[in-house]
Amino acid sequence: MSKKNYDVTGYIRQRFFPQMWCPGCGHGTVLGSLLRAVKELDLDKNEIVMTSGIGCSSRISGYVDFHSLHTIHGRALAFATGVKLSKPSLTAIVPMGDGDALAIGGNHFIHAARRNIDITAIVMNNRIYGMTGGQFSPLSGPGKRATTAPYSTIDRNFDVVDLSVSAGATFVARSTVYHPQESIDLIKRAIRHKGFSVVEILSQCPTHFGRKNKVGGAVEMLEYYKQRTVKIGSKKLEKDPTLIQRGIFVDNSEVPEYCDAYDLVIEKAMKGKR
Ligand code: SF4
């Protein structure tokens, strides 16, 4: 078996290291998986544009040596849509936290999915707002504690996969930071997919979610991903249907991609046809 070359230094801005994430944060593992996916696909960094909003996860755009836009909270997909429409040949990747993607950016998220624009959204789900101090997010779930819910939240949470599928995303997958090789494979599939792709990666925030909910540190949180997640359709689900499924939920290449569809409209307009 050939040994993989995992030297990804050509894809990072070394001047910004060491990175700013807390010890034990899962986001560095997601960055590692993303860089290895890009490396394995042998993508030219000058052909990649990364757009991010605000939050710990969004700092990724500063660390990669792609074209990058660190924009405003929740609007990364709106910026990415503009970039992609102006130059469809670029590979557009958007790393997002759970609040950035589905609270402040929720509207942009569902409409990007509905349009099926060729963007890869990586939702790094740690079920809390990390950077701003541990407020609960739309993915925290009922009974979880946060600085804004010291007696626990009563809000029900979205399921990222179900929401993405319902909104029309044509590639939808889930993994965890405990499964980096699986994450690499899913990110590669998502980038190659022509259409709106969502990869949810469960990623631990030991500093806020871990402490507030007394679930231990990074090791215990990783252990949770190991014990409480299974591949789609695993026999273990018969005994325990509450286990979280990992893998590819949707992979549909039949739906027209938005930039292609828009090109056809331009073509018609140029020919004066309605
Ligand atoms: Fe990671 Fe949480 Fe620290 Fe942010 S606050 S860097 S999400 S551990």
Side-chain angles (χ1 to χ4, degrees):
M1 213 165 79
S2 66
K3 217 170 151 189
K4 282 182 178 167
N5 175 2
Y6 273 149
D7 180 3
V8 291
T9 47
Y11 287 122
I12 60 172
R13 294 178 178 136
Q14 294 187 48
R15 65 188 184 280
F16 292 141
F17 283 75
Q19 39 74 18
M20 51 68 74
W21 293 306
C22 307
C25 178
H27 291 351
T29 307
V30 179
L31 173 60
S33 293
L34 169 69
L35 292 171
R36 288 171 177 90
V38 168
K39 172 93 181 173
E40 287 186 18
L41 290 172
D42 198 24
L43 296 179
D44 178 349
K45 64 183 181 180
N46 292 314
E47 294 300 319
I48 306 172
V49 61
M50 178 173 279
T51 313
S52 68
I54 297 297
C56 298
S57 55
S58 297
R59 296 299 291 256
I60 280 187
S61 64
Y63 299 135
V64 294
D65 197 20
F66 311 150
H67 298 291
S68 60
L69 290 144
H70 195 172
T71 70
I72 49 179
H73 212 181
R75 313 298 172 212
L77 285 172
F79 279 84
T81 298
V83 171
K84 188 72 187 174
L85 275 170
S86 64
K87 194 166 182 192
S89 61
L90 290 173
T91 297
I93 302 173
V94 178
M96 291 182 285
D98 38 293
D100 190 46
L102 293 173
I104 306 97
N107 218 12
H108 295 297
F109 188 90
I110 57 174
H111 292 290
R114 175 177 64 82
R115 293 186 185 114
N116 195 35
I117 188 158
D118 186 19
I119 293 171
T120 297
I122 301 173
V123 181
M124 299 153 71
N125 179 6
N126 58 21
R127 307 178 67 185
I128 206 155
Y129 284 89
M131 183 173 278
T132 48
Q135 298 87 349
F136 69 86
S137 87
L139 298 183
S140 298
K144 296 290 175 261
R145 289 175 199 276
T147 46
T148 43
Y151 301 101
S152 81
T153 172
I154 56 171
D155 287 33
R156 291 193 298 156
N157 52 303
F158 284 130
D159 179 307
V160 178
V161 166
D162 289 349
L163 181 72
S164 305
V165 173
S166 307
T170 50
F171 182 93
V172 181
R174 179 191 286 133
S175 188
T176 87
V177 293
Y178 184 79
H179 304 90
Q181 187 56 55
E182 181 182 82
S183 300
I184 294 170
D185 293 340
L186 294 178
I187 293 170
K188 279 166 63 182
R189 294 277 300 268
I191 291 174
R192 277 199 299 244
H193 176 78
K194 189 156 185 181
F196 190 67
S197 308
V198 179
V199 182
E200 179 190 17
I201 302 184
L202 308 184
S203 172
Q204 74 278 4
C205 171
T207 300
H208 293 297
F209 190 90
R211 283 182 190 161
K212 297 258 176 345
N213 290 285
K214 299 191 172 31
V215 292
V219 174
E220 290 76 16
M221 296 177 86
L222 283 164
E223 188 67 26
Y224 176 89
Y225 297 144
K226 180 184 175 189
Q227 301 296 344
R228 296 294 307 162
T229 69
V230 289
K231 292 223 183 210
I232 293 172
S234 164
K235 282 199 169 21
K236 290 182 183 172
L237 289 160
E238 289 167 18
K239 277 192 179 166
D240 184 355
T242 66
L243 292 169
I244 301 164
Q245 297 188 62
R246 309 187 320 270
I248 298 172
F249 296 82
V250 171
D251 185 2
N252 179 358
S253 305
E254 304 297 311
V255 182
E257 193 276 325
Y258 194 70
C259 298
D260 285 352
Y262 193 64
D263 278 350
L264 292 177
V265 174
I266 293 171
E267 209 176 293
K268 273 188 196 170
M270 297 295 275
K271 288 178 182 164
K273 285 186 188 167
R274 283 185 188 262

